[in-house]
Each structure stands twice: as C-alpha cells, then as structure tokens.
Amino acid sequence: MSQDVKPRLPEFMGIGPPRTGTTWLHNVLEGHVDLPYGVKETLYFTTFYDRGFDWYARHFRYATGARKVAEVCPYFFDTVTLDRIKAIMPTCKFIVTLRDPVDRLYSMYKALRYSAEARRGGFEHTLSVWPSMAKGNRYASHLQGWWDHFGRENVLVTMYDEMRSEPQRYIDRVTEFAGIDRIDLAARPQIGDDVNAFKRAPKNRRLARKAWKFKYWLKGRQAYGAVNLLERTGVWDFCAGRGELYPPLTLEEDTRLRARYLPEVEALEELLRIDLTAWKTPRAGRSRQPSAESGSRRLALG
C-alpha cells in the first residue's frame, strides 16, 4: 500500500465471543457498511498478525469513505488483541454479544470437532483436554478489559437471546450504537438462513484436519475466492461433516456446568446489573426449553 494513501480501517467491530451469531451479524451488515473484502473475519490481530499491517489494510482497499468501515471477528477472549487494536484503531467501537455459557460451550465443542482440532470423544472428554474452552466463559473479566482499554461507552453489550427472539430490536440497537442507518430485516428474509450450526462430526478426522489447514493456508494468502468457491460447492462440509450426529447435553452434564459457571455468571450480573437467572437454571428446570441451535427465526450461529 502506498505510503501516501491513508488506509481506511474499521470504525466499529463485532468481537463475538465465538458462537454468538457473528456470521448472522456480518450478513446483516453486508451492503450497509464496508466489510473486509472477500472474507467474513480476517483474524489479523490473532492468527495473521505476523503478516503485517499492510496485509490487514488491504482488506479494506475498496472502502471509499461513503460508508463506515466495520469488521465482525470474534476477538473478545483474545487479550493480546487489546493493545494491538488500540495501537492502530484507538477510537474504534465494539459490539459484544453474550450467550448462555453452557450453550456457547457446547457449540464451541462442535466447532472444534468440525475443524478436527478436537479428537473423537464426548463433550466432557474434550473439555478436559481443551481447558481453554472453559476459560473462555469468563465474560466479566474479559469485558472489563475491553472497557479499560476503550471506555465503557464504546462497548455495546448485547444478548444472544435477544438476537434470536427479537432480531429487529437487536439490530436496531447495533445500528444506533454504530451510527449507521437502520436496517429493515423484513426486507431481507434470506438473512434468516441457518448457517454454521454444526450438526455432524467429521466422518474422517484426517481429511477434516487437512481441509482446515488448507483453508487457513488460503486465507493467509487472501485467496478468499478459492475459499468461498470451495464453500459453495460443499467441499468443506464434505471434508468436515457426514459423521455421527451430535447428541444433546444430558441433564447431568448441563447441571454440572451451570454449577461450575455460577460464580462467573454472578460476576457478570454484578458488573452489568442485570438478572441472568436463566443462565443458572438447568434446562429441565425451565418453563421453555429452546434448542441451543434453533429457534422460531433461524439465525446464523457463526
């Protein structure tokens, strides 16, 4: 990139956490803001940071200034990104969407199986060998870190349940916070399509792992056209799916996890001054028992 041209960078970012509807948010914003060209999330501040600033700035090379620039990338739990983002985008705003920690954790488990990072085995076995999964549900302490770096007024905290049950209200809050025109979801019914809700484990873990590594090799070279073509033709799903269906969490697993995360949930309640009783109650004890991966309006669970 020419030294004489000042690159346009995100003015606001949806930072997740992972498995909280980031793909849906990206799809809704598309056409209303300038997003990274050819890809949903650059992963620059984590996976590809060694590629350098110009590598990142190139993603926004077609931004003209007529619209705000944005990115949706699940950086929420990656504390290394705080200083890195602050250094080049000190006035950036952030959207955080929080999800029932048990539901999010099980969705993460399925994503790890899909990418073949986690080997065959049940949920609790994977949790024991991937402790980072569990640490990721420390919402309160991570949220405080973003507040400390960028100011509480620059971090919008939303809830995944609202995204599912009242998507228009949810996106109205996002657009008002970001300072962009209102987006009418009724005019875009295709946005409701359910994507990234992994239902089956890989049939062949070795094939799935090779496909995942190849995908990231392509992404590192910004070969997003090839990545998207392979997505549309079903290659990634062929490599990473077709195996057994994931069973739901048992009541016993659900109850143990809710007891485990109770202190974290209570810390978040105190921080935000809200009632999160629903996150403390085992599924069988609730009057409504929606599936973690479905709803009356089907949403992307990226």
Side-chain angles (χ1 to χ4, degrees):
M1 180 170 291
S2 171
Q3 296 296 321
D4 299 327
V5 178
K6 185 177 181 180
R8 302 187 187 278
L9 298 174
E11 297 163 76
F12 71 94
M13 302 180 77
I15 54 173
R19 316 307 303 156
T20 59
T22 55
T23 299
W24 182 82
L25 179 58
H26 173 95
N27 291 343
V28 169
L29 292 173
E30 197 167 22
H32 297 269
V33 297
D34 285 321
L35 294 162
Y37 182 71
V39 67
K40 174 206 159 192
E41 52 193 43
T42 66
L43 299 174
Y44 168 64
F45 293 101
T46 51
T47 306
F48 298 115
Y49 192 67
D50 62 345
R51 298 278 173 167
F53 174 76
D54 286 348
W55 183 92
Y56 181 57
R58 181 171 166 75
H59 288 85
F60 308 100
R61 61 192 180 275
Y62 296 119
T64 64
R67 301 185 297 195
K68 288 200 173 185
V69 180
E71 182 180 6
V72 181
C73 196
Y75 290 131
F76 182 72
F77 294 134
D78 295 302
T79 54
V80 68
T81 65
L82 292 170
D83 289 333
R84 291 175 176 179
I85 295 174
K86 183 79 171 181
I88 65 171
M89 300 185 303
T91 61
C92 193
K93 291 185 172 185
F94 302 92
I95 299 153
V96 174
T97 301
L98 301 179
R99 181 181 183 180
D100 179 315
V102 175
D103 292 346
R104 196 197 71 82
L105 193 65
Y106 193 57
S107 187
M108 274 298 301
Y109 158 71
K110 291 190 285 186
L112 285 171
R113 288 290 306 277
Y114 182 84
S115 66
E117 292 183 87
R119 296 179 179 274
R120 289 181 181 274
F123 169 71
E124 291 200 276
H125 170 74
T126 301
L127 189 59
S128 69
V129 298
W130 279 82
S132 59
M133 285 175 59
K135 292 178 182 177
N137 278 336
R138 295 174 55 206
Y139 291 154
S141 60
H142 286 286
L143 181 58
Q144 187 66 59
W146 289 92
W147 283 353
D148 290 345
H149 275 72
F150 296 96
R152 185 167 182 162
E153 70 280 5
N154 292 317
V155 181
L156 175 67
V157 180
T158 62
M159 291 294 165
Y160 178 83
D161 286 345
E162 182 183 29
M163 177 190 284
R164 283 185 52 191
S165 63
E166 299 182 80
Q168 186 63 65
R169 180 180 175 183
Y170 170 91
I171 204 62
D172 285 348
R173 293 181 62 206
V174 169
T175 55
E176 181 180 0
F177 172 76
I180 61 176
D181 291 341
R182 184 177 185 270
I183 300 172
D184 182 9
L185 295 181
R188 305 178 69 191
Q190 72 278 8
I191 294 298
D193 289 343
D194 187 6
V195 298
N196 285 357
F198 307 118
K199 297 178 181 178
R200 292 183 178 272
K203 186 174 183 179
N204 184 316
R205 182 179 179 273
R206 179 178 291 183
L207 176 62
R209 192 61 189 150
K210 286 183 176 180
W212 193 257
K213 289 182 176 180
F214 181 52
K215 179 189 285 189
Y216 272 82
W217 183 87
L218 290 171
K219 285 187 173 184
R221 287 150 182 80
Q222 296 190 21
Y224 301 130
V227 173
N228 296 334
L229 175 62
L230 293 171
E231 177 77 36
R232 290 193 300 272
T233 55
V235 170
W236 302 130
D237 283 338
F238 177 85
C239 294
R242 302 181 299 123
E244 71 270 21
L245 287 167
Y246 294 108
L249 282 177
T250 66
L251 176 58
E252 292 74 16
E253 289 172 327
D254 188 276
T255 301
R256 282 196 297 272
L257 287 169
R258 294 195 188 281
R260 177 175 182 173
Y261 292 119
L262 181 60
E264 299 290 347
V265 172
E266 290 179 338
L268 186 64
E269 283 183 315
E270 183 175 350
L271 193 66
L272 296 178
R273 300 187 182 280
I274 61 175
D275 180 7
L276 294 172
T277 299
W279 289 8
K280 306 175 189 177
T281 309
R283 284 292 180 192
R286 303 186 188 190
S287 58
R288 294 178 67 242
Q289 299 181 46
S291 166
E293 301 292 356
S294 64
S296 58
R297 178 184 178 90
R298 302 176 71 203
L299 298 180
L301 304 180

